[in-house]
């Protein structure tokens, strides 16, 4: 944007309109001078003052400037009014009619009997000239309007391109995350698993207590690393959205999940102290998916969430009663239980989902307790 245009846009609209009113009065004074009648000066005052309203009532302002054009040969008021009207409306027949009306008012003289007493050929020439003069601000106003439309469309196109670039960046990020997940799973996870296996073998075969303790430490660290690595792989395989980077839930959030489920649910039992965060997330997601399925497919049913553990295993069992209301068909990707089974496999456990003899449904996660 040029400096002159930037400075012009900083001028207040009221200052521009006031200046146009002053120019209109000056234009009328030059034409009338000492020949002005009270009626003519009244038309000057009406038409000039009306320019203050040209932005809000362009058609009315144009009509109010016509008496000035009829009484005297002025240029500022009709040109300003026609330009403002052309820049604010898309009704081209209206603009053509206003240009013809302005040309007729500029050609005729007051009193009207004098206009027809002159040479008709000269009157026609003057009409054509006045019409051409009136068409100039109309065309310029339409040009300004078209320029505004193009500028607005360019902004919309740029916004669309920016949105497209953002989508492309998200797609590339998701592809890179998926590729990184595959590499981590195929290479890093395999190598860490071998380290854990070799450390376990060394722990059993070593005779030196210090060597066995070192092997046990290596195996424990390898298993912990493998758990976190598997969890990171599940995150990297996600869509890449911001929600995957949010803090993941644990058992501490389980009570709030049940309270917000909208289902009459009881929570019993407990899990062993010190289970990994990966196992806590798996239990949480299992309960979350089970309650979601109850809400979707068994309206009115009651649920029981039972946490349990023994010497070798731990898990959670979610059981619901028969529904008391007919279920409503809701859209589903049918991936919930599949995802839970994958989470269970990461813990070397199993997931069971089956109907109960009483007509309800039971979802159970069963995973082995870690032993060094």
């Amino acid at each position: 944007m040029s400096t002159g245009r930037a400075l012009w846009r900083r001028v207040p609209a009221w200052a521009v309109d006031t200046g146009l009113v002053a120019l209109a009065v000056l234009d009328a004074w030059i034409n009338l001078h000492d020949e002005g009648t009270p009626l003519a000066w009244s038309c000057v005052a009406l038409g000039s003052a009306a320019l203050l309203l040209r932005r809000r009532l362009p058609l009315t302002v144009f009509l109010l400037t016509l008496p000035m054009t009829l009484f005297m040969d002025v240029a500022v008021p009709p040109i300003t009014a026609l330009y403002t009207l052309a820049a604010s409306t898309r009704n081209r027949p209206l603009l053509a009619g206003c240009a013809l009306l302005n040309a007729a008012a500029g050609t005729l003289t007051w009193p009207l009997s004098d206009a027809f007493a002159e040479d008709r050929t000269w009157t026609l020439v003057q009409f054509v000239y006045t019409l051409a003069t009136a068409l100039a601000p109309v065309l310029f106003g339409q040009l300004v309007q078209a320029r505004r439309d193009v500028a607005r469309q360019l902004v919309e196109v740029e916004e669309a391109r920016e949105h497209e670039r953002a989508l492309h960046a998200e797609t590339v990020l998701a592809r890179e995350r998926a590729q990184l997940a595959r590499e981590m799973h195929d290479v890093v996870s395999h190598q860490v698993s071998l380290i854990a296996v070799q450390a376990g073998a060394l722990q059993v075969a070593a005779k030196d207590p210090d060597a066995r303790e070192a092997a046990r430490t290596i195996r424990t660290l390898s298993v912990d690393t493998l758990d976190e690595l598997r969890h990171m792989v599940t995150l990297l395989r996600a869509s890449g959205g911001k929600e995957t980077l949010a803090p993941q839930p644990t058992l501490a959030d389980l009570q709030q999940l049940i309270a917000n489920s909208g289902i009459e649910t009881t929570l019993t039992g407990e899990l062993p102290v010190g289970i990994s965060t990966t196992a806590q997330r798996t239990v949480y997601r299992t309960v979350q998916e089970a309650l979601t399925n109850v809400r979707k497919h068994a309206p009115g049913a009651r649920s029981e969430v039972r946490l349990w553990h023994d010497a070798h295993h731990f898990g959670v069992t979610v059981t619901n009663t028969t529904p008391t209301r007919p279920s409503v068909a809701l859209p589903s990707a049918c991936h919930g239980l599949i995802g839970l089974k994958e989470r269970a496999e990461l813990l070397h456990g199993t997931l069971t989902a089956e109907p109960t003899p009483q007509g309800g449904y039971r979802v159970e996660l069963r995973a082995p307790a870690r032993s060094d």
Side-chain angles (χ1 to χ4, degrees):
M1 182 183 296
S2 64
T3 305
R5 185 180 301 173
L7 293 176
W8 172 253
R9 290 191 173 185
R10 296 178 62 180
V11 178
W14 63 266
V16 175
D17 294 340
T18 303
L20 289 174
V21 170
L23 287 176
V25 173
L26 179 62
D27 189 10
W29 180 78
I30 293 175
N31 280 276
L32 290 177
H33 197 46
D34 296 332
E35 301 177 0
T37 63
L39 178 60
W41 281 112
S42 298
C43 293
V44 170
L46 180 63
S48 300
L51 293 179
L52 294 173
L53 303 175
R54 67 187 185 93
R55 302 177 191 272
R56 289 181 289 179
L57 303 170
L59 181 59
T60 302
V61 171
F62 167 74
L63 295 176
L64 292 177
T65 60
L66 287 179
M68 293 181 62
T69 309
L70 185 63
F71 276 102
M72 64 204 78
D73 188 17
V74 291
V76 175
I79 289 178
T80 303
L82 282 173
Y83 163 76
T84 305
L85 181 62
S88 60
T89 183
R90 303 180 186 275
N91 192 340
R92 294 185 178 179
L94 174 64
L95 294 176
C98 290
L100 289 172
L101 190 60
N102 180 78
T107 303
L108 299 176
T109 58
W110 188 265
L112 296 179
S113 57
D114 297 340
F116 296 101
E118 298 180 356
D119 185 10
R120 295 183 179 180
T121 302
W122 172 249
T123 302
L124 179 61
V125 171
Q126 186 180 5
F127 175 79
V128 173
Y129 173 78
T130 308
L131 179 61
T133 305
L135 288 176
V138 171
L139 295 177
F140 186 67
Q142 289 286 280
L143 179 63
V144 170
Q145 186 182 99
R147 182 180 177 276
R148 292 172 183 169
D149 292 341
V150 171
R152 185 164 51 251
Q153 291 174 0
L154 288 177
V155 172
E156 294 176 355
V157 169
E158 183 61 28
E159 291 177 352
R161 288 180 176 176
E162 184 66 25
H163 181 65
E164 183 179 354
R165 285 193 290 267
L167 291 179
H168 177 69
E170 291 180 1
T171 302
V172 173
L173 178 60
R175 188 183 303 117
E176 291 178 351
R177 288 165 65 95
Q179 183 178 0
L180 180 59
R182 288 192 296 269
E183 293 295 330
M184 291 177 63
H185 181 270
D186 295 341
V187 179
V188 182
S189 178
H190 176 69
Q191 299 295 337
V192 174
S193 298
L194 290 180
I195 293 174
V197 172
Q198 294 295 332
L202 180 60
Q203 179 183 357
V204 174
K207 298 181 179 179
D208 186 7
D210 293 336
R212 287 199 300 269
E213 180 63 23
R216 189 194 67 80
T217 301
I218 294 175
R219 181 176 182 275
T220 301
L221 293 177
S222 300
V223 172
D224 290 340
T225 302
L226 192 58
D227 285 341
E228 293 301 323
L229 184 61
R230 285 167 175 168
H231 174 62
M232 289 302 301
V233 168
T234 60
L235 290 182
L236 289 173
R237 283 175 174 170
S239 61
K242 295 181 179 180
E243 65 276 7
T244 61
L245 302 179
Q248 297 298 303
T250 61
L251 289 180
D253 303 308
L254 193 58
Q255 188 65 50
Q256 186 65 32
L257 171 67
I258 294 175
N260 297 335
S261 65
I263 303 171
E264 184 179 348
T265 306
T266 58
L267 175 63
T268 60
E270 60 181 9
L271 292 178
V273 179
I275 64 172
S276 65
T277 55
T278 303
Q280 293 185 46
R281 283 190 291 268
T282 302
V283 171
Y284 180 95
R285 296 304 184 191
T286 301
V287 175
Q288 182 183 47
E289 180 64 21
L291 294 180
T292 300
N293 288 336
V294 172
R295 187 165 52 247
K296 291 170 59 176
H297 306 298
R302 297 188 307 274
S303 298
E304 178 186 4
V305 177
R306 186 173 64 89
L307 305 176
W308 57 269
H309 67 92
D310 55 29
H312 304 288
H313 296 85
F314 71 92
V316 59
T317 303
V318 182
T319 308
N320 64 271
T321 61
T322 57
T324 60
R325 300 190 304 270
S327 61
V328 180
L330 295 175
S332 174
C334 300
H335 293 161
L337 293 179
I338 296 177
L340 291 181
K341 289 181 179 180
E342 293 177 350
R343 288 178 177 271
E345 291 175 359
L346 291 178
L347 296 177
H348 304 287
T350 59
L351 182 84
T352 304
E354 58 186 6
T356 63
Q358 294 77 20
Y361 207 81
R362 183 176 66 90
V363 177
E364 182 179 88
L365 168 69
R366 184 183 184 88
R370 180 185 300 174
S371 59
D372 296 333

